[in-house]
Amino acid sequence: MSNTKYKAYTLQNFRKLPQIQQIPEEQKFSMEVVGHVFPLKSNNYVVEELINWDNVPGDPIFVLTFPQKEMLNFYHFEKMAAVLRKGSNKQEIQNASNKIRMELNPHPAGQIEQNVPSLNGQKLKGVQHKYSETVLFFPCQGQTCHAYCSFCFRWPQFVWSNDLKFAGKETEQLIEYVHNHPEITDILITGGDPLFMSTSNLATYVRALLNADTHNLSTIRIGTKVLGYWPYRFLTDSDADDLLALFKEVTRAGKHLAIMAHFNHPRELKTKAVKKAISRILETGAQIRTQSPLLANINDDPKIWSEMWNEQVNLGCIPYYMFLVRDTGAQHYFGISLVEAIDIYQKAYRNVSGLSRTVRGPIMSCTPGKVQILGTSEVYGEKVFVLQFLQGRNPDWVRRPFFAKYDEKAMWFDDLKPAFGESKFFFEKNIDDIKFSYRDSEKGLRKETFAFS
Ligand SMILES: *Cc1c(COP(=O)(O)O)cnc(C)c1O
Ligand code: SF4
């Protein structure tokens, strides 16, 4: 095991890394250019135990946390590069960065306003309630991560100030809200990464939930990438044992504790540290469910997925979701067409035992709901995509197969058109119930806030 004291590498100090110094200057400069637009954060575990430096620059874990030239289009890249080359001052650099960021479809104000519930006429900050059974909670100290994924659609919150962030301190209000909504069974604590928080901060929220008289609440979920990016959180961090004790407290209280773990590549499951961390978590009675987006240049190969799911099941985890990436930031670099995504999912799924087939995908999380692409088919000579909602703004939409015109180039839900010459999808017929139509709204309004982790 490497030095188990957490050390972050960012735009300010990444050049000092011995592994980075071996990279040609031109590439280092490219990383710096892109790092001025997208946030850069890696750490000593990722650098020393996950990245295979012999494979750099193509190494998937390298691509996962270090910015690549191709993540910006030519025009944006050259613009930022010119600003840096001519030795501009801080303000000039920042203006240039922000201008490019604004052109990359950053998460818009609308996202923060969407699905935010009210309590006694007041908006509940840091809370989101979209699907009836599950409410999302964004504790303010958990809105950052141990490393940043270069594909993350949350990048704007890492580079801009607090006013763009979800953040909630209002546990009391959250509890009252759960009380008033007996349909809620699950709370998903999410971020960023809520396990970036100290155990004592997390415990404040979790104990408040346990102590409250919310009988409807049966499950606490924690969405996290910490097993992939910093398993020492469960091993050698000074409050690691307290964290595990807190998990035990939850399960002893008769609540289900689900760790929603974000893994992108089988390599993240192979270190001694992660294996030990997983086994320590499972000993507390918590369960680990896994999810990941499908990403070009990182995991766009069925073998990678079947290996990842098999390994997860071997370690006692339950494969849960495979997501598609959305249209913000470097989507042109990471995006996969729906046709390719179906192929990768099906090939991977066919190669694993039933125990791994708990995984559902490929999924697009969008305004109307979580849409799963079941596959392609042909109906009376028309080639179609077959889709269904796994979650819908209206629960009646769930599990009702529907059809879209086959389109080889389609990459996201809004590229799709109804099949059979229809003008609308079935759920658009009562979309008026939903205040706005996602097709008419500004581009940004379609995006979702649910983190992969
Ligand atoms: C995915 C998601 C959930 C959880 O859905 P499950 O299908 O229960 O895992 C809850 N809220 C939002 C907004 C989501 O995107
Ligand atoms: S995908 Fe999750 S872990 Fe990765 S940077 Fe985004 S919020 Fe953090």
Side-chain angles (χ1 to χ4, degrees):
M1 285 187 202
S2 67
N3 179 2
T4 54
K5 197 164 153 28
Y6 173 76
K7 184 162 175 27
Y9 298 115
T10 65
L11 188 61
Q12 279 67 46
N13 66 356
F14 81 99
R15 275 177 176 270
K16 294 198 187 115
L17 270 169
Q19 292 90 337
I20 293 285
Q21 281 170 31
Q22 292 154 25
I23 291 177
E25 176 52 35
E26 194 190 325
Q27 197 190 342
K28 282 188 275 197
F29 180 68
S30 296
M31 288 161 74
E32 206 163 301
V33 171
V34 181
H36 272 90
V37 176
F38 298 123
L40 191 179
K41 195 202 238 184
S42 194
N43 68 51
N44 48 322
Y45 172 73
V46 176
V47 164
E48 290 164 30
E49 299 193 51
L50 294 186
I51 295 173
N52 178 353
W53 290 91
D54 295 337
N55 282 348
V56 169
D59 186 74
I61 311 287
F62 177 70
V63 174
L64 187 60
T65 63
F66 285 97
Q68 308 297 309
K69 184 173 185 183
E70 298 76 17
M71 288 176 193
L72 285 179
N73 69 30
F74 177 79
Y75 171 78
H76 284 150
F77 184 90
E78 287 306 321
K79 237 179 152 169
M80 195 70 233
V83 171
L84 294 181
R85 268 191 212 110
K86 72 173 192 230
S88 311
N89 66 34
K90 238 178 155 180
Q91 193 57 49
E92 288 164 332
I93 294 176
Q94 195 163 43
N95 292 346
S97 303
N98 282 336
K99 189 154 183 292
I100 296 171
R101 286 166 180 162
M102 286 315 291
E103 289 169 20
L104 292 169
N105 195 20
H107 87 170
Q111 182 172 272
I112 291 182
E113 279 141 33
Q114 251 179 285
N115 309 315
V116 173
S118 303
L119 181 71
N120 311 324
Q122 295 273 312
K123 290 243 172 211
L124 270 188
K125 259 187 135 185
V127 177
Q128 235 193 339
H129 191 196
K130 180 170 175 184
Y131 308 128
S132 53
E133 339 70 55
T134 305
V135 58
L136 309 191
F137 179 47
F138 298 79
C140 56
Q141 308 94 329
Q143 299 313 306
T144 185
C145 312
H146 287 85
Y148 293 146
C149 306
S150 46
F151 58 79
C152 183
F153 64 92
R154 288 187 172 282
W155 61 270
Q157 86 173 36
F158 303 135
V159 296
W160 281 322
S161 63
N162 288 350
D163 59 330
L164 274 173
K165 284 186 198 176
F166 277 92
K169 271 187 186 155
E170 289 82 3
T171 333
E172 271 166 47
Q173 288 174 317
L174 172 68
I175 287 167
E176 194 180 339
Y177 185 81
V178 174
H179 247 295
N180 297 349
H181 290 264
E183 72 276 16
I184 296 173
T185 55
D186 290 33
I187 282 191
L188 170 52
I189 305 176
T190 185
D193 193 331
L195 294 184
F196 193 87
M197 266 192 279
S198 67
T199 301
S200 66
N201 278 333
L202 180 67
T204 309
Y205 298 118
V206 169
R207 291 204 181 110
L209 290 169
L210 292 182
N211 295 336
D213 222 5
T214 45
H215 298 292
N216 47 316
L217 190 72
S218 61
T219 302
I220 297 177
R221 306 193 207 180
I222 299 177
T224 180
K225 170 93 204 176
V226 78
L227 279 166
Y229 279 164
W230 190 249
Y232 298 111
R233 184 72 192 84
F234 304 97
L235 305 176
T236 54
D237 275 10
S238 61
D239 57 354
D241 291 345
D242 299 338
L243 182 61
L244 293 158
L246 180 69
F247 286 6
K248 237 182 235 165
E249 233 176 283
V250 177
T251 58
R252 292 241 169 96
K255 304 280 184 201
H256 178 63
L257 178 62
I259 306 301
M260 309 303 291
H262 172 192
F263 290 109
N264 305 113
H265 195 278
R267 204 181 292 157
E268 294 170 286
L269 296 155
K270 298 213 163 130
T271 66
K272 262 193 202 147
V274 74
K275 289 183 186 188
K276 186 88 206 288
I278 288 173
S279 96
R280 292 197 86 188
I281 292 170
L282 295 179
E283 277 165 21
T284 69
Q287 285 190 356
I288 303 173
R289 290 172 202 273
T290 60
Q291 51 196 24
S292 168
L294 173 58
L295 302 154
N297 296 296
I298 292 181
N299 61 21
D300 54 339
D301 177 348
K303 283 201 205 88
I304 290 181
W305 285 86
S306 45
E307 186 185 345
M308 187 156 70
W309 296 332
N310 278 332
E311 192 68 36
Q312 287 166 356
V313 169
N314 286 343
L315 295 170
C317 307
I318 305 165
Y320 193 61
Y321 278 142
M322 174 206 264
F323 290 111
L324 292 172
V325 286
R326 56 203 59 192
D327 56 345
T328 174
Q331 203 223 15
H332 63 278
Y333 183 77
F334 293 112
I336 304 253
S337 73
L338 305 188
V339 174
E340 284 172 292
I342 293 167
D343 185 59
I344 291 171
Y345 177 79
Q346 291 183 345
K347 282 187 177 141
Y349 190 90
R350 286 171 189 150
N351 263 310
V352 293
S353 95
L355 293 186
S356 289
R357 292 184 183 176
T358 47
V359 68
R360 291 164 303 162
I363 289 165
M364 295 173 282
S365 195
C366 34
T367 301
K370 273 200 175 69
V371 178
Q372 180 182 25
I373 315 159
L374 292 169
T376 55
S377 193
E378 205 173 294
V379 180
Y380 288 112
E382 182 174 338
K383 237 175 146 182
V384 292
F385 288 116
V386 186
L387 308 120
Q388 73 173 357
F389 284 99
L390 289 179
Q391 284 286 8
R393 271 180 178 272
N394 177 343
D396 295 343
W397 300 345
V398 172
R399 283 258 161 178
R400 213 170 122 178
F402 65 101
F403 303 92
K405 241 188 222 165
Y406 181 86
D407 176 352
E408 204 143 283
K409 292 204 201 84
M411 296 183 82
W412 191 249
F413 191 66
D414 40 295
D415 297 330
L416 295 178
K417 301 207 166 51
F420 316 129
E422 305 254 337
S423 61
K424 285 178 174 180
F425 288 113
F426 79 88
F427 54 89
E428 291 181 290
K429 294 186 177 121
N430 43 9
I431 204 123
D432 292 343
D433 303 344
I434 304 172
K435 300 261 165 47
F436 66 89
S437 157
Y438 72 96
R439 277 191 191 282
D440 299 337
S441 59
E442 266 176 71
K443 197 168 164 63
L445 277 179
R446 282 191 304 266
K447 270 185 302 300
E448 279 292 281
T449 52
F450 182 66
F452 297 120
S453 55

